[in-house]
Amino acid sequence: MKWVTQARYLGLHYSPDSSFESCTDELFDAGQRAMYALINKLRRKGLFIPRIALMCFDTQIRSILSYGAQVWGPYFLLQLLDRPRDAEGRHCYFDHAMEDRMVGIQRTFLRTLASIGRVPDNRLLFREFSQEPLHLHWATLVYRFWNKLVRGKNSISHNVFREEIRTALLTNCIRPTWGSMVLQGLRCLGHWPDLPADLDLEGRVDFLSTREICIESVMFTLEEHFKEDWLSPRLLILPRDFVSDGGKPGVKMCRHTHWMGMPHHDASYIPMSVYTSLLRFRLGAWALEVNCPNGRLREQRWCRVCNNADSVEDEYHVVMECPAYTEMRAGFAELGMGQSSNMLQIMSMQDQLGLARIIHSIRMRRSSSMGRT
Ligand SMILES: [Zn+2]
């Protein structure tokens, strides 16, 4: 008989010497390989465009990265949920999710899609493609699984489920067992089920094992905490008055909120060359003076295209002010944008293909005039 240190059962690898959640090692490797293969394949066919690529990611990559999440998911969820808030009272779920290597695969995919090497703030990247870190998907799978176990009365799995709950209650959810981690996660989210006070242990097991989780309300809380930074009062400050102090959310989120708004560009077909200009612009990734601080004060980052030392070159200057692009800006009027339209209205206009073309032509003009100087 061959001696092995690891066995595979129902597609997951287990070993007596390693923690249970290490069964995600193989999923991580497979997911990463599949992601690069998918990118190559879509590129070769000219289909590496957001709408198609994101659908393919969900069906082909996310499904690998979530395989068996019903069982190992609670551990990774608890990594986010069971931590103290930071000094400013933020839950920091998003930041912690970014530290997860599986979410790293997701992030690499989105970055490749936006043709961006380094993203100033991943919040922008995820919002731009209307994506959420994998944890939210795992949470849905875990809570659905719980409810399935509740409904499976008198089955073997239901009896195991009851034992899980009993163990969790006996140890006040401290031990890293499945039931403890799910219940502790609910407690962190403020969704701990209201146990009648007068029940003994058996009564509490009965109570919990027949209680379905209200997935909608738990997910609502979870999502709210994930997007806490987008709801921050710091974002009410106008972008040009925003003073970067290292706190979160930062000025890029502020500019995105006031100038770019929610993305609408996935509704129409936009050729990728033009699309990339638009995406990079919205993400604050153009090499504008304001995006290349080099230790200079904001006032010193004036526009080198119109050479006006009073005009800081930021995204607003490019779209609304800079005289070098007056000709391109005329295109906005042709797309139905009146004289009084503000930047947010322009960036949110219905004809996103038209918008992308204008933004792209501005980029071309900018790089040619920067080349001359
Ligand atoms: Zn200018």
Side-chain angles (χ1 to χ4, degrees):
M1 198 181 270
K2 197 176 152 204
W3 182 261
V4 292
T5 54
Q6 211 187 32
R8 187 173 174 180
Y9 181 63
L10 296 180
L12 290 176
H13 289 77
Y14 305 90
S15 150
D17 301 324
S18 52
S19 60
F20 180 71
E21 60 278 4
S22 66
C23 67
T24 54
D25 289 353
E26 284 76 18
L27 300 180
F28 172 78
D29 290 341
Q32 196 168 43
R33 272 198 309 275
M35 176 196 65
Y36 286 118
L38 176 65
I39 292 174
N40 275 336
K41 199 173 204 173
L42 289 175
R43 271 208 178 125
R44 276 204 309 275
K45 306 236 180 249
L47 290 174
F48 196 55
I49 53 175
R51 199 150 43 125
I52 292 174
L54 291 170
M55 271 195 300
C56 292
F57 184 89
D58 282 355
T59 52
Q60 298 178 30
I61 318 297
R62 192 180 70 174
S63 53
I64 297 175
L65 300 177
S66 309
Y67 186 76
Q70 291 85 345
V71 192
W72 51 256
Y75 171 84
F76 291 94
L77 284 175
L78 208 53
Q79 296 293 305
L80 306 189
L81 306 182
D82 202 7
R83 292 203 203 192
R85 298 197 196 188
D86 74 354
E88 288 137 42
R90 295 160 61 240
H91 293 90
C92 305
Y93 288 177
F94 188 89
D95 304 75
H96 294 321
M98 288 302 120
E99 294 161 12
D100 187 282
R101 58 182 178 163
M102 308 266 246
V103 177
I105 293 182
Q106 196 181 9
R107 203 174 50 219
T108 304
F109 191 81
L110 297 182
R111 247 182 5 216
T112 314
L113 201 47
S115 305
I116 262 176
R118 202 173 54 85
V119 192
D121 192 330
N122 288 309
R123 287 166 184 77
L124 266 58
L125 186 65
F126 276 75
R127 168 156 290 208
E128 205 47 45
F129 290 116
S130 311
Q131 297 294 298
E132 281 162 338
L134 287 168
H135 291 76
L136 286 155
H137 182 59
W138 296 338
T140 315
L141 296 176
V142 169
Y143 299 141
R144 273 192 210 146
F145 184 54
W146 173 286
N147 290 352
K148 198 174 154 194
L149 292 171
V150 168
R151 289 194 289 264
K153 277 201 195 71
N154 303 324
S155 65
I156 296 175
S157 54
H158 185 76
N159 292 336
V160 177
F161 175 55
R162 284 180 58 93
E163 287 313 306
E164 277 289 334
I165 292 174
R166 193 193 316 275
T167 312
L169 290 174
L170 279 171
T171 58
N172 194 24
C173 304
I174 297 170
R175 294 266 302 285
T177 57
W178 183 85
S180 294
M181 291 192 285
V182 176
L183 286 170
Q184 179 64 8
L186 290 175
R187 176 143 65 191
C188 297
L189 285 168
H191 283 270
W192 178 261
D194 287 320
L195 280 167
D198 52 344
L199 290 178
D200 61 359
L201 178 64
E202 214 47 37
R204 285 187 289 156
V205 173
D206 285 342
F207 183 88
L208 285 175
S209 64
T210 52
R211 220 7 135 237
E212 286 195 31
I213 294 171
C214 177
I215 298 179
E216 206 177 315
S217 73
V218 177
M219 290 308 291
F220 182 80
T221 308
L222 197 53
E223 280 164 24
E224 288 279 292
H225 291 184
F226 260 96
K227 64 180 183 206
E228 64 187 341
D229 286 332
W230 290 106
L231 307 170
S232 163
R234 280 168 69 91
L235 294 181
L236 299 176
I237 304 168
L238 293 175
R240 286 180 168 179
D241 298 333
F242 196 97
V243 180
S244 293
D245 56 3
K248 280 185 178 160
V251 67
K252 296 257 180 185
M253 286 176 74
C254 184
R255 282 191 227 147
H256 196 275
T257 304
H258 287 267
W259 293 344
M260 309 298 173
M262 294 303 271
H264 300 293
H265 44 71
D266 61 345
S268 45
Y269 173 75
I270 306 175
M272 213 49 209
S273 54
V274 180
Y275 210 153
T276 303
S277 293
L278 177 66
L279 284 170
R280 291 177 51 91
F281 183 72
R282 291 181 51 90
L283 290 167
W286 277 22
L288 302 180
E289 294 297 323
V290 82
N291 294 331
C292 313
N294 300 331
R296 294 171 301 169
L297 289 173
R298 199 187 135 79
E299 303 75 68
Q300 292 163 343
R301 301 181 213 157
W302 44 271
C303 178
R304 264 65 176 173
V305 181
C306 62
N307 270 316
N308 181 348
D310 293 328
S311 300
V312 172
E313 193 195 32
D314 53 19
E315 284 82 5
Y316 188 88
H317 178 72
V318 167
V319 170
M320 307 297 284
E321 297 173 346
C322 188
Y325 314 123
T326 309
E327 192 188 318
M328 285 101 188
R329 215 168 284 128
F332 292 141
E334 284 162 31
L335 296 174
M337 289 286 121
Q339 285 290 319
S340 57
S341 303
N342 61 31
M343 173 139 175
L344 187 61
Q345 287 164 337
I346 288 176
M347 293 307 293
S348 313
M349 73 166 81
Q350 192 149 26
D351 187 350
Q352 291 280 306
L353 171 59
L355 173 72
R357 285 197 175 124
I358 296 174
I359 296 286
H360 182 69
S361 64
I362 290 179
R363 191 179 131 218
M364 292 295 114
R365 168 67 60 88
R366 183 178 182 276
S367 45
S368 68
S369 60
M370 293 295 274
R372 276 204 305 274
T373 50

